[in-house]
Amino acid sequence: MKRIFGIFGFLILFAFTSLSVCAKSNYLHTITLEKNNSSYNVILSTDNVSKVSKKISSPNELIIDMNGISSTDTVNAIYKGTDSIESLIVEHISQNKLRIHIVAENIAMSTIMLQTADGITSIAAETFPWNKALWVVFVLTLFGVIFSVSKKISEQDDKILIKKDIKDREIDMYRQFRKQMDYNESLKLNKSLRMKTMMKKIDRKIDERLSASIR
């Protein structure tokens, strides 16, 4: 079991190391807020495609998390068809993670788009939290393994206890049997002695009567 976990940990470490080596530099250069019919188009200009997740605190507040990306010293903000943006803040969460806070009327209904250096613009697919899902699956699997092992140990212990209980009962039954046998032998012996004594008395009486009749 320890060897399996060791191999599993090595594979995870190797995968993360490979990803970090092969990862390309990716920077956020420009944020464009473009008014559309119902809300806004939030266009993020980056070097490469980034993982994006959207959080809505209220209808007028939007939080965008970007993974695998950093920002340049200055990130340009461009407003198209609107001047009602209350605030726009770019925050570094970690080395390769950015968080963008936007406050504006009805901003929660915005469409988030990515525009890469090669000029391709695409709607950002909100990423599923695979890390949390995998962690939940790992924890559930671990609990399943622990439960299975515990169940097997419990069943083995029950079998051992049952065998021990049967053995103890057999010993007890044997002892009871021996006592009964000894008791029966004692009764038979007593009966035999009584019978012999009685037979002697009868023989003596018969002899006395025979002697008396001869005289």
Side-chain angles (χ1 to χ4, degrees):
M1 183 65 71
K2 290 182 179 179
R3 183 177 297 177
I4 293 174
F5 280 113
I7 294 172
F8 185 68
F10 174 77
L11 291 175
I12 292 175
L13 180 62
F14 178 77
F16 278 109
T17 304
S18 299
L19 289 174
S20 63
V21 170
C22 297
K24 297 179 181 179
S25 59
N26 194 12
Y27 293 97
L28 173 66
H29 301 282
T30 305
I31 302 173
T32 302
L33 295 174
E34 182 181 53
K35 184 67 177 176
N36 59 26
N37 293 331
S38 59
S39 183
Y40 299 87
N41 292 328
V42 181
I43 303 171
L44 307 172
S45 297
T46 61
D47 294 321
N48 302 290
V49 175
S50 173
K51 295 180 181 179
V52 175
S53 61
K54 181 172 68 174
K55 299 177 183 178
I56 299 172
S57 301
S58 68
N60 298 329
E61 185 175 0
L62 175 65
I63 299 174
I64 302 171
D65 285 339
M66 303 183 69
N67 292 315
I69 192 168
S70 299
S71 67
T72 56
D73 294 336
T74 58
V75 177
N76 297 322
I78 300 174
Y79 304 141
K80 292 184 178 181
T82 181
D83 56 359
S84 60
I85 306 298
E86 296 183 22
S87 67
L88 191 156
I89 301 171
V90 179
E91 179 184 1
H92 270 277
I93 302 299
S94 63
Q95 184 178 1
N96 291 308
K97 185 173 182 179
L98 297 178
R99 176 166 292 171
I100 303 170
H101 298 258
I102 305 174
V103 178
E105 186 179 358
N106 203 27
I107 191 68
M109 300 299 294
S110 297
T111 301
I112 303 173
M113 308 175 74
L114 288 174
Q115 188 177 60
T116 55
D118 54 9
I120 298 175
T121 302
S122 59
I123 296 175
E126 296 181 20
T127 57
F128 183 79
W130 288 108
N131 54 343
K132 294 181 180 179
L134 291 174
W135 175 250
V136 171
V137 171
F138 172 74
V139 171
L140 292 177
T141 304
L142 183 61
F143 275 120
V145 172
I146 293 173
F147 177 78
S148 178
V149 172
S150 300
K151 186 178 180 181
K152 288 182 180 178
I153 293 174
S154 178
E155 290 175 352
Q156 290 177 356
D157 290 342
D158 290 341
K159 289 179 180 179
I160 293 172
L161 291 174
I162 290 171
K163 289 180 180 179
K164 184 178 179 181
D165 184 57
I166 292 174
K167 185 177 179 181
D168 291 341
R169 280 186 294 171
E170 289 176 347
I171 293 172
D172 186 64
M173 290 175 64
Y174 175 74
R175 288 175 177 173
Q176 293 293 333
F177 177 75
R178 287 294 302 168
K179 287 182 180 179
Q180 190 67 30
M181 287 293 295
D182 293 341
Y183 178 72
N184 290 336
E185 290 293 333
S186 178
L187 287 178
K188 288 180 180 180
L189 182 61
N190 290 334
K191 287 180 180 180
S192 177
L193 291 174
R194 288 179 183 176
M195 184 63 68
K196 288 180 180 180
T197 303
M198 186 176 298
M199 290 299 294
K200 287 181 179 180
K201 288 182 178 180
I202 293 172
D203 290 339
R204 191 183 311 117
K205 290 291 184 182
I206 292 173
D207 291 339
E208 289 177 356
R209 288 185 180 182
L210 289 173
S211 299
S213 62
I214 293 172
R215 291 176 185 177

